[in-house]
PDB file of all heavy atoms in Angstrom:
ATOM      1  N   LEU A   8     -27.601  48.304  54.824  1.00 91.00           N
ATOM      2  CA  LEU A   8     -28.150  49.586  54.390  1.00 91.00           C
ATOM      3  C   LEU A   8     -29.027  50.069  55.540  1.00 91.00           C
ATOM      4  O   LEU A   8     -30.097  49.526  55.792  1.00 91.00           O
ATOM      5  CB  LEU A   8     -28.964  49.446  53.107  1.00 91.00           C
ATOM      6  CG  LEU A   8     -29.637  50.720  52.602  1.00 91.00           C
ATOM      7  CD1 LEU A   8     -28.605  51.801  52.306  1.00 91.00           C
ATOM      8  CD2 LEU A   8     -30.471  50.416  51.372  1.00 91.00           C
ATOM      9  N   TYR A   9     -28.536  51.055  56.254  1.00 88.00           N
ATOM     10  CA  TYR A   9     -29.187  51.554  57.471  1.00 88.00           C
ATOM     11  C   TYR A   9     -29.941  52.819  57.111  1.00 88.00           C
ATOM     12  O   TYR A   9     -29.354  53.880  56.915  1.00 88.00           O
ATOM     13  CB  TYR A   9     -28.116  51.797  58.531  1.00 88.00           C
ATOM     14  CG  TYR A   9     -28.601  52.271  59.872  1.00 88.00           C
ATOM     15  CD1 TYR A   9     -29.721  51.727  60.483  1.00 88.00           C
ATOM     16  CD2 TYR A   9     -27.909  53.264  60.555  1.00 88.00           C
ATOM     17  CE1 TYR A   9     -30.140  52.157  61.727  1.00 88.00           C
ATOM     18  CE2 TYR A   9     -28.315  53.697  61.805  1.00 88.00           C
ATOM     19  CZ  TYR A   9     -29.435  53.143  62.380  1.00 88.00           C
ATOM     20  OH  TYR A   9     -29.850  53.573  63.615  1.00 88.00           O
ATOM     21  N   VAL A  10     -31.277  52.744  56.990  1.00 93.00           N
ATOM     22  CA  VAL A  10     -32.115  53.871  56.603  1.00 93.00           C
ATOM     23  C   VAL A  10     -32.769  54.438  57.858  1.00 93.00           C
ATOM     24  O   VAL A  10     -33.409  53.704  58.615  1.00 93.00           O
ATOM     25  CB  VAL A  10     -33.202  53.444  55.587  1.00 93.00           C
ATOM     26  CG1 VAL A  10     -34.055  54.634  55.184  1.00 93.00           C
ATOM     27  CG2 VAL A  10     -32.564  52.793  54.367  1.00 93.00           C
ATOM     28  N   VAL A  11     -32.575  55.732  58.067  1.00 92.00           N
ATOM     29  CA  VAL A  11     -33.095  56.383  59.267  1.00 92.00           C
ATOM     30  C   VAL A  11     -33.850  57.658  58.900  1.00 92.00           C
ATOM     31  O   VAL A  11     -33.703  58.184  57.806  1.00 92.00           O
ATOM     32  CB  VAL A  11     -31.953  56.740  60.249  1.00 92.00           C
ATOM     33  CG1 VAL A  11     -31.243  55.499  60.721  1.00 92.00           C
ATOM     34  CG2 VAL A  11     -30.975  57.712  59.634  1.00 92.00           C
ATOM     35  N   ASN A  12     -34.646  58.140  59.838  1.00 92.00           N
ATOM     36  CA  ASN A  12     -35.325  59.421  59.697  1.00 92.00           C
ATOM     37  C   ASN A  12     -34.315  60.500  60.059  1.00 92.00           C
ATOM     38  O   ASN A  12     -34.107  60.813  61.225  1.00 92.00           O
ATOM     39  CB  ASN A  12     -36.543  59.473  60.619  1.00 92.00           C
ATOM     40  CG  ASN A  12     -37.267  60.799  60.555  1.00 92.00           C
ATOM     41  OD1 ASN A  12     -36.854  61.724  59.857  1.00 92.00           O
ATOM     42  ND2 ASN A  12     -38.358  60.908  61.290  1.00 92.00           N
ATOM     43  N   GLY A  13     -33.686  61.064  59.069  1.00 90.00           N
ATOM     44  CA  GLY A  13     -32.642  62.047  59.288  1.00 90.00           C
ATOM     45  C   GLY A  13     -33.134  63.416  59.677  1.00 90.00           C
ATOM     46  O   GLY A  13     -32.338  64.304  59.957  1.00 90.00           O
ATOM     47  N   SER A  14     -34.446  63.607  59.737  1.00 92.00           N
ATOM     48  CA  SER A  14     -34.975  64.922  60.100  1.00 92.00           C
ATOM     49  C   SER A  14     -34.978  65.140  61.609  1.00 92.00           C
ATOM     50  O   SER A  14     -35.355  66.206  62.076  1.00 92.00           O
ATOM     51  CB  SER A  14     -36.392  65.106  59.547  1.00 92.00           C
ATOM     52  OG  SER A  14     -37.314  64.254  60.214  1.00 92.00           O
ATOM     53  N   LYS A  15     -34.550  64.136  62.352  1.00 92.00           N
ATOM     54  CA  LYS A  15     -34.486  64.271  63.811  1.00 92.00           C
ATOM     55  C   LYS A  15     -33.142  63.727  64.304  1.00 92.00           C
ATOM     56  O   LYS A  15     -32.483  62.953  63.618  1.00 92.00           O
ATOM     57  CB  LYS A  15     -35.623  63.499  64.476  1.00 92.00           C
ATOM     58  CG  LYS A  15     -35.547  62.003  64.230  1.00 92.00           C
ATOM     59  CD  LYS A  15     -36.615  61.271  65.000  1.00 92.00           C
ATOM     60  CE  LYS A  15     -36.454  59.772  64.911  1.00 92.00           C
ATOM     61  NZ  LYS A  15     -35.200  59.257  65.448  1.00 92.00           N
ATOM     62  N   ALA A  16     -32.777  64.136  65.488  1.00 90.00           N
ATOM     63  CA  ALA A  16     -31.546  63.618  66.098  1.00 90.00           C
ATOM     64  C   ALA A  16     -31.779  62.165  66.515  1.00 90.00           C
ATOM     65  O   ALA A  16     -32.907  61.756  66.771  1.00 90.00           O
ATOM     66  CB  ALA A  16     -31.183  64.461  67.314  1.00 90.00           C
ATOM     67  N   PRO A  17     -30.716  61.364  66.563  1.00 93.00           N
ATOM     68  CA  PRO A  17     -30.855  59.968  66.982  1.00 93.00           C
ATOM     69  C   PRO A  17     -31.453  59.867  68.392  1.00 93.00           C
ATOM     70  O   PRO A  17     -31.127  60.662  69.267  1.00 93.00           O
ATOM     71  CB  PRO A  17     -29.423  59.434  66.975  1.00 93.00           C
ATOM     72  CG  PRO A  17     -28.647  60.374  66.124  1.00 93.00           C
ATOM     73  CD  PRO A  17     -29.324  61.697  66.239  1.00 93.00           C
ATOM     74  N   ASP A  18     -32.337  58.884  68.570  1.00 93.00           N
ATOM     75  CA  ASP A  18     -32.917  58.646  69.887  1.00 93.00           C
ATOM     76  C   ASP A  18     -32.478  57.274  70.397  1.00 93.00           C
ATOM     77  O   ASP A  18     -31.614  56.626  69.801  1.00 93.00           O
ATOM     78  CB  ASP A  18     -34.441  58.777  69.844  1.00 93.00           C
ATOM     79  CG  ASP A  18     -35.110  57.815  68.864  1.00 93.00           C
ATOM     80  OD1 ASP A  18     -34.482  56.799  68.483  1.00 93.00           O
ATOM     81  OD2 ASP A  18     -36.264  58.070  68.490  1.00 93.00           O
ATOM     82  N   GLU A  19     -33.061  56.829  71.483  1.00 95.00           N
ATOM     83  CA  GLU A  19     -32.659  55.564  72.098  1.00 95.00           C
ATOM     84  C   GLU A  19     -32.869  54.383  71.154  1.00 95.00           C
ATOM     85  O   GLU A  19     -32.042  53.479  71.088  1.00 95.00           O
ATOM     86  CB  GLU A  19     -33.422  55.339  73.408  1.00 95.00           C
ATOM     87  CG  GLU A  19     -32.893  54.192  74.216  1.00 95.00           C
ATOM     88  CD  GLU A  19     -31.411  54.326  74.567  1.00 95.00           C
ATOM     89  OE1 GLU A  19     -30.969  55.435  74.886  1.00 95.00           O
ATOM     90  OE2 GLU A  19     -30.694  53.316  74.504  1.00 95.00           O
ATOM     91  N   GLU A  20     -33.963  54.368  70.421  1.00 94.00           N
ATOM     92  CA  GLU A  20     -34.211  53.292  69.453  1.00 94.00           C
ATOM     93  C   GLU A  20     -33.128  53.271  68.374  1.00 94.00           C
ATOM     94  O   GLU A  20     -32.632  52.209  67.997  1.00 94.00           O
ATOM     95  CB  GLU A  20     -35.590  53.436  68.822  1.00 94.00           C
ATOM     96  CG  GLU A  20     -35.937  52.320  67.876  1.00 94.00           C
ATOM     97  CD  GLU A  20     -37.335  52.448  67.294  1.00 94.00           C
ATOM     98  OE1 GLU A  20     -38.032  53.443  67.558  1.00 94.00           O
ATOM     99  OE2 GLU A  20     -37.730  51.535  66.550  1.00 94.00           O
ATOM    100  N   ASP A  21     -32.756  54.447  67.884  1.00 92.00           N
ATOM    101  CA  ASP A  21     -31.688  54.540  66.885  1.00 92.00           C
ATOM    102  C   ASP A  21     -30.376  53.996  67.448  1.00 92.00           C
ATOM    103  O   ASP A  21     -29.643  53.289  66.754  1.00 92.00           O
ATOM    104  CB  ASP A  21     -31.486  55.991  66.433  1.00 92.00           C
ATOM    105  CG  ASP A  21     -32.680  56.539  65.686  1.00 92.00           C
ATOM    106  OD1 ASP A  21     -33.189  55.837  64.797  1.00 92.00           O
ATOM    107  OD2 ASP A  21     -33.094  57.669  66.001  1.00 92.00           O
TER     108      ASP A  21
END
Side-chain angles (χ1 to χ4, degrees):
L8 177 60
Y9 182 43
V10 181
V11 298
N12 178 358
S14 69
K15 63 175 187 61
D18 59 20
E19 190 57 40
E20 183 178 4
D21 294 313

